[in-house]
Amino acid sequence: MAGALRPVVVLMLFASILFLLAGVLDGAYPGGPSWFTGTAADFSILSYLFAFVNTVVALFVARGSERSLVARIGLAGFFVLERPLSAFIFGEKPIASVGTHLLTAAVELIILISAVRVWRLGHSLAARDVDVLFSLEGPSPAAPPEPARRRRERPNQAALRPGTAWLIAVVTLILAIILVADGAYEGFVPGGREWSTADNAGWVVYLFAAVTLTIAVRAVHGGRIALRALMVVALILFLERSFSPFSLREQDPVVLALHGLAALVSLAVALATASAIRGRPPREPASVQTLEAA
């Protein structure tokens, strides 16, 4: 029987193909309807970035990197929400493109469930079985009995240092405030501009702020998956805030300043969470062997 990670890695690579296909179907190619037109449809180009990031993470996961597997769990959670939303809010798309987006979301949901299962199983096995579990060639060991699993399972979270927790909370709150200020300045307030899913899609900054704050609530309590998910979301926001002014051909200096400031604070959030992950208290001796870090 194939290793426990093989189906997950295969699904990740399949998802990369779907991301590339979505970009093409959305018209994100030279001369296409979504190729640097100065509208919200230009966000379709991000599908290529998602495909690249997904492929790189899949390669690290295939090498047995536990950190990359946890990062991919965070990415899967993001894509499960992002793919259906991007199918409808960033301009009109052909039926084939909408279907590809929804199929990708379904695949990402399967990846999320499968990756969490593998990660939890890896934390419940004896050290000699971990290499087999995270091998693409070896057999998948059977899960131990429930009582034994509970005895050997490591906690999913550990308390962060107060200073680190406050730093993550403060910079994330600042990021959310900047995103909300950007939306309000562009007129997406009651009685302001029309909220649409085509040219006037700037209101999605409110969604970005809500998602970031929701994840941060768990991250400041030391949640292992939440910390990595927050880091991934912050890096995505850093790229999006840096890229979108050029894609949309924005010239308003205030909007440009808000985008640049949000990009910098997003990077600060990513660095703070990365520091928290590296500076977590040492784990208690456990039966699970630490996997090779990516």
Side-chain angles (χ1 to χ4, degrees), residues 102-188:
L102 297 180
L103 176 60
T104 308
V107 171
E108 289 294 334
L109 180 60
I110 297 174
I111 291 174
L112 176 62
I113 296 172
S114 302
V116 170
R117 175 181 173 274
V118 172
W119 180 80
R120 288 175 62 86
L121 183 58
H123 281 245
S124 64
L125 295 175
R128 62 179 176 275
D129 294 328
V130 174
D131 291 335
V132 177
L133 174 67
F134 285 88
S135 171
L136 296 184
E137 303 297 334
S140 300
E146 186 64 25
R149 184 186 303 133
R150 285 198 298 264
R151 286 196 302 270
R152 290 198 294 262
E153 190 173 3
R154 292 184 294 185
N156 286 340
Q157 64 182 46
L160 298 178
R161 297 184 181 89
T164 302
W166 274 105
L167 176 62
I168 294 175
V170 170
V171 292
T172 305
L173 181 59
I174 292 174
L175 174 60
I177 292 173
I178 295 172
L179 292 173
V180 171
D182 186 8
Y185 177 79
E186 294 194 47
F188 293 101

Side-chain angles (χ1 to χ4, degrees), residues 188-209:
F188 293 101
V189 295
R193 295 176 62 180
E194 178 185 359
W195 296 33
S196 71
T197 58
D199 295 338
N200 296 331
W203 55 268
V204 295
V205 292
Y206 298 138
L207 178 62
F208 294 159

Side-chain angles (χ1 to χ4, degrees), residues 49-80:
L49 174 63
F50 294 157
F52 173 76
V53 172
N54 181 58
T55 303
V56 172
V57 174
L59 293 177
F60 281 117
V61 172
R63 292 174 55 191
S65 169
E66 183 188 19
R67 293 181 181 177
S68 297
L69 181 64
V70 174
R72 191 57 182 82
I73 292 173
L75 277 175
F78 171 79
F79 290 139
V80 166

